[in-house]
Amino acid sequence: MRFVKQVSLIALCASLATTARAQQALPTIEVGGAPLRSTSRPAAPATTSERPQTRSAATSAPAPTTTQVSPIVRYAVPAATYTITGNELQNTRAFNLTDNLIRQAPGVIVNDVAGSPFTPEVDFRGFVASPVAGTPQGLAVYQNGVRINEAWGDNVYWDMIPSVAIDRFTLVTGNPLFGLNAIGGAVTLDMKTGFTWQGFEIDGRFGSRGRRQGSMQHGLISGPFATYMAMEALGDDGYRQFSGAHIKRFYGDVGYRGESGEIHANVTLANNKFGVSGPAPAELTNIDESAVYTTPQTIKNTLSMFDLNGVFQVTPTWKLFGDAHYRAFDQARVDGNTTDFECEADEALCQSGAGDTNIPNFFNGQAPLGVIDRTWTRSRTVGGTVQVKNDDLYFGFHNQITFGVSYDHGWSAFSANEELGIIQPNLAVGGIGYIVEEPASGISSVSVKAANDYLGVYALDSLDLTDDLKVTAGARFNRAGIALYDMIGTTLNGNGIFTRINPVAGLTYKILPNVSAYASYSEANRAPTPLELGCADPNRPCLIDAFLVADPPLKQVESQTIEAGLRGDLAVPAVMPTYADALPGNFNWSLGLFQTYSFNDILSVPSSIAGRGYFTNAGTTLRQGFESTFRYTTERVNAFLSYTLTDATFRSTIVLGSPNNPLTQIFGTGCSILVTPGANLTSVPRHRFKAGIDFAVTPLWKVGADVHYSSGPWLRGDEINLAGTLPSYAILNMRTSYQLGPNIQVYGLLENVTNTRARSFGTFFDTTSISFLAFNNPRMVSIGPPLGVYGGVKITY
């Protein structure tokens, strides 16, 4: 389906060029006495003992776990920071990390761009981390300190993250030390080790739509050594036609802890294959909510990642961190689409938007033509980080300073071709074996190699001016070098170098023993991807990734972020002893304001030539808003609530292509729209609300529920905001578990209890693309899953 050409505006296009964006190692950034990433990544033994995350068989008891948020999260970091423990993530029993983020992480929603739970576009405050090629990325994602935005496009493939092995999830904003793409923030995933999780656990479940899934994890300490391993597997038929999935993931870690240091070697493996459906015409979904618009659409992802890291206490005040990693990613995509080729009866050759072609009229115009686009991506990255941290007194003031250097080299190979086919009555495209080679029309096979080098030099200092006032300042220098090599001709040869120094400064002030204020200013940057560099001319737009052309470089995106807020906690028994029996526990809260200006923001834009598009610098954009979170925890109750208001707007006057938007025909603007300051960014919901509770009815019986609400976003392609938004939606999930014995637990899940078919993403399409179908409504929408009923058993030792 050509959803990518209309969704991410060239989304298939994007597979191609997002060349070798090598992973950057994440700075540990210790501010306040504990690292912002897991102790399984470089962490001293003393720090490990501060985190009560260790789990054994006894933790299978049904009483809810409470959030163990480090004090630095509440007081010492001068920006919004949200942490969810691995136990809390597993309370929802979601197979994918992103399903948990939708339910629990403040400000996070998912745009169902590709129509599959394994290809979610994660949106935080209007910035995304997406697996859809061609989507401008605004979030950096790290696993154990290794940046996992893939080398080929900066995309994040969430399906390859082993969720059961996650020890802690942290969402950090306003910190440029996380490198490229951390414009909207950074996601850090700390994985379990044998030092933080011990025991054996096996979990299996079955349910709706042929779902069968299982997971296993095992952790063991033996003297100074510890081992941990986790495996996950899933198979189901999907909730849309042709969207079945087979997922296999593995994570393993071996660690050694001595008196002065700790070292870990870990591996992540994945082998996944699944179907995607993408948006479908609204008229078609009104008839059948599981319908798709052209198929096949399949993705196969494989991953092998190896990481060696360690931390050493060189002196009582100096720590040394080191990391070396290697990442190998491969992807094969098959995508059935409509096409611009038109064949009329009694004509020898077919026609396209670019004029005559050399394609023979095989069927004398008696059958609607389609194409099957195939792409193959092979990407490798090797890199490392060296970092030191000093924690000492200077002139009577406590001071912490962290500085380090990271370097990554990546190399990638990409190839693509397009096979002519026939669109059948079930909207499946059947290939006829004819590979399209039409350079004059911008369509021909592609074979490209790319290389990139990423250098980061960073420093962060945190000074305690008083017991209550902490000042933080730092900066990171980024250098991104990208080279593209055309293996067939010379059209795609090119290179670019992008550099920038990004500062950060902030302070935290403890107003009361349990209340602190924070404020910060930071800058960040994102270098254009090879796709964006090679497809930036509106007069020579790209059809899909196989048909890039060389163009002058785009400007890099630069951002400025201001954050301010209050946060604190309330220990109910200590503050309100009269009600200690009724309200024992802790109440944590935060209130904050945020504002991010992005200069030279990059957008993917559809061309006036049907089915094609290009990338452009879209002037200045603004994302600002308000965020609030509340959490209440006791021995029996774990409840949370959050609300985020996101106001995302254009701040420049620009002309954008939107050929399938019907308003361009009404206003006679020639397939273009004039966007003025104040217009809302598309696909960014304004309101996001979440709430949930887990309650231990008895020591053996536990129940829980959560709900998340999102207002409807504007359709992509309607940047002038005249076609209306998609409807708002709310999803309710419920769960229960019962402990049959010390080692056996049974549970049940109801997902989407009210059977709400959420429309989280929409765009426009050409209603005349398929001759035997007559559409009047140019809207396409992606529809979320229906009610799901699941039951399972968990065994622990």
Side-chain angles (χ1 to χ4, degrees), residues 39-43 143-144 146 191-195 224-230 250-257 262-269 305-312 322-326:
T39 55
S40 65
R41 297 275 312 151
Q143 177 183 315
N144 276 351
V146 178
M191 312 304 284
K192 296 174 182 176
T193 74
F195 294 121
F225 295 94
T227 61
Y228 174 82
M229 63 178 295
F250 173 85
Y251 178 80
D253 179 273
V254 177
Y256 172 83
R257 176 180 293 171
E262 185 170 331
I263 188 168
H264 287 265
N266 55 71
V267 58
T268 303
L269 306 174
M305 184 173 78
F306 305 91
D307 180 40
L308 177 67
N309 61 79
V311 56
F312 307 94
D323 167 88
H325 56 267
Y326 170 80

Side-chain angles (χ1 to χ4, degrees), residues 285-302:
T285 60
N286 290 337
I287 300 172
D288 182 359
E289 291 180 324
S290 69
V292 299
Y293 187 63
T294 70
T295 191
Q297 293 189 73
T298 61
I299 297 175
K300 183 178 180 181
N301 292 332
T302 59

Side-chain angles (χ1 to χ4, degrees), residues 349-362:
L349 298 177
C350 299
Q351 301 288 322
S352 72
D356 291 336
T357 73
N358 295 319
I359 297 177
N361 191 344
F362 292 101

Side-chain angles (χ1 to χ4, degrees), residues 607-650:
S607 166
S608 58
I609 301 176
R612 304 191 185 193
Y614 60 95
F615 289 92
T616 185
N617 285 118
T620 302
T621 59
L622 171 64
R623 296 162 179 86
Q624 62 183 352
F626 166 77
E627 206 158 65
S628 61
T629 66
F630 307 90
R631 185 175 289 274
Y632 175 67
T633 58
T634 73
E635 288 298 318
R636 298 180 63 186
V637 177
N638 185 353
F640 67 89
L641 181 150
S642 69
Y643 168 74
T644 302
L645 168 68
T646 304
D647 178 38
T649 57
F650 290 93

Side-chain angles (χ1 to χ4, degrees), residues 332-396:
R333 294 185 58 123
V334 178
D335 191 8
N337 287 313
T338 58
T339 181
D340 286 339
F341 298 134
E342 296 180 358
C343 301
E344 302 293 338
D346 302 324
E347 293 289 339
L349 298 177
C350 299
Q351 301 288 322
S352 72
D356 291 336
T357 73
N358 295 319
I359 297 177
N361 191 344
F362 292 101
F363 300 95
N364 197 30
Q366 301 303 307
L369 290 182
V371 292
I372 299 178
D373 300 311
R374 294 182 176 89
T375 65
W376 298 268
T377 305
R378 176 184 174 87
S379 182
R380 303 292 183 265
T381 302
V382 61
T385 299
V386 176
Q387 175 180 293
V388 295
K389 177 200 171 228
N390 176 256
D391 190 334
D392 208 344
L393 292 175
Y394 291 91
F395 305 104

Side-chain angles (χ1 to χ4, degrees), residues 24-82:
Q24 292 172 284
L26 164 68
T28 303
I29 310 179
E30 299 189 61
V31 274
L36 290 185
R37 58 175 176 165
S38 161
T39 55
S40 65
R41 297 275 312 151
T47 305
T48 303
S49 64
E50 296 169 3
R51 294 181 53 229
Q53 297 295 321
T54 301
R55 177 175 180 180
S56 64
T59 58
S60 61
T65 58
T66 59
T67 307
Q68 301 294 338
V69 181
S70 167
I72 68 162
V73 174
R74 296 195 299 270
Y75 300 119
V77 179
T81 303
Y82 306 105

Side-chain angles (χ1 to χ4, degrees), residues 22-27 142 147 176-180 383-387 403-409 453-459 475-481 498-502 525:
Q23 279 62 37
Q24 292 172 284
L26 164 68
Y142 292 85
R147 187 171 182 266
L177 270 68
F178 286 88
L180 293 173
T385 299
V386 176
Q387 175 180 293
F403 53 91
V405 177
S406 68
Y407 174 77
D408 292 90
H409 175 72
D453 292 279
Y454 292 109
L455 173 67
V457 181
Y458 55 88
R476 176 170 180 135
F477 168 76
N478 289 326
R479 181 189 185 278
F498 302 88
T499 61
R500 197 173 198 277
I501 297 177
N502 295 317
N525 73 302

Side-chain angles (χ1 to χ4, degrees), residues 157-440:
Y157 294 97
W158 301 96
D159 64 286
M160 299 188 298
I161 298 174
S163 60
V164 72
I166 296 173
D167 187 45
R168 183 172 61 174
F169 163 90
T170 304
L171 185 56
V172 183
T173 66
N175 199 325
L177 270 68
F178 286 88
L180 293 173
N181 269 53
I183 295 176
V187 173
T188 68
L189 305 174
D190 304 329
M191 312 304 284
K192 296 174 182 176
T193 74
F195 294 121
T196 62
W197 198 99
Q198 300 91 44
F200 174 82
E201 177 183 286
I202 186 169
D203 190 330
R205 82 181 65 158
F206 299 88
S208 298
R209 297 175 289 279
R211 171 65 63 87
R212 60 274 182 201
Q213 73 178 62
S215 66
M216 183 279 290
Q217 57 179 331
H218 178 261
L220 176 68
I221 292 181
S222 178
F225 295 94
T227 61
Y228 174 82
M229 63 178 295
M231 293 184 287
E232 293 178 313
L234 173 145
D236 71 10
D237 301 328
Y239 58 88
R240 299 275 297 276
Q241 296 175 18
F242 312 106
S243 63
H246 297 276
I247 306 295
K248 292 178 288 185
R249 304 187 288 230
F250 173 85
Y251 178 80
D253 179 273
V254 177
Y256 172 83
R257 176 180 293 171
E259 293 184 358
S260 61
E262 185 170 331
I263 188 168
H264 287 265
N266 55 71
V267 58
T268 303
L269 306 174
N271 189 338
N272 304 333
K273 183 177 181 180
F274 47 89
V276 296
S277 50
E283 292 176 73
L284 193 60
T285 60
N286 290 337
I287 300 172
D288 182 359
E289 291 180 324
S290 69
V292 299
Y293 187 63
T294 70
T295 191
Q297 293 189 73
T298 61
I299 297 175
K300 183 178 180 181
N301 292 332
T302 59
L303 170 71
S304 299
M305 184 173 78
F306 305 91
D307 180 40
L308 177 67
N309 61 79
V311 56
F312 307 94
Q313 192 77 43
V314 181
T315 72
T317 59
W318 287 92
K319 284 183 181 179
L320 172 66
F321 301 86
D323 167 88
H325 56 267
Y326 170 80
R327 186 175 177 92
F329 169 71
D330 292 274
Q331 182 183 79
R333 294 185 58 123
V334 178
D335 191 8
N337 287 313
T338 58
T339 181
D340 286 339
F341 298 134
E342 296 180 358
C343 301
E344 302 293 338
D346 302 324
E347 293 289 339
L349 298 177
C350 299
Q351 301 288 322
S352 72
D356 291 336
T357 73
N358 295 319
I359 297 177
N361 191 344
F362 292 101
F363 300 95
N364 197 30
Q366 301 303 307
L369 290 182
V371 292
I372 299 178
D373 300 311
R374 294 182 176 89
T375 65
W376 298 268
T377 305
R378 176 184 174 87
S379 182
R380 303 292 183 265
T381 302
V382 61
T385 299
V386 176
Q387 175 180 293
V388 295
K389 177 200 171 228
N390 176 256
D391 190 334
D392 208 344
L393 292 175
Y394 291 91
F395 305 104
F397 296 97
H398 179 240
N399 186 78
Q400 295 181 9
I401 184 168
T402 301
F403 53 91
V405 177
S406 68
Y407 174 77
D408 292 90
H409 175 72
W411 59 101
S412 300
F414 177 86
S415 58
N417 64 36
E418 183 170 278
E419 179 187 0
L420 198 64
I422 298 298
I423 301 178
Q424 303 171 66
N426 65 351
L427 302 186
V429 180
I432 64 173
Y434 184 91
I435 302 300
V436 179
E437 298 289 352
E438 295 296 325

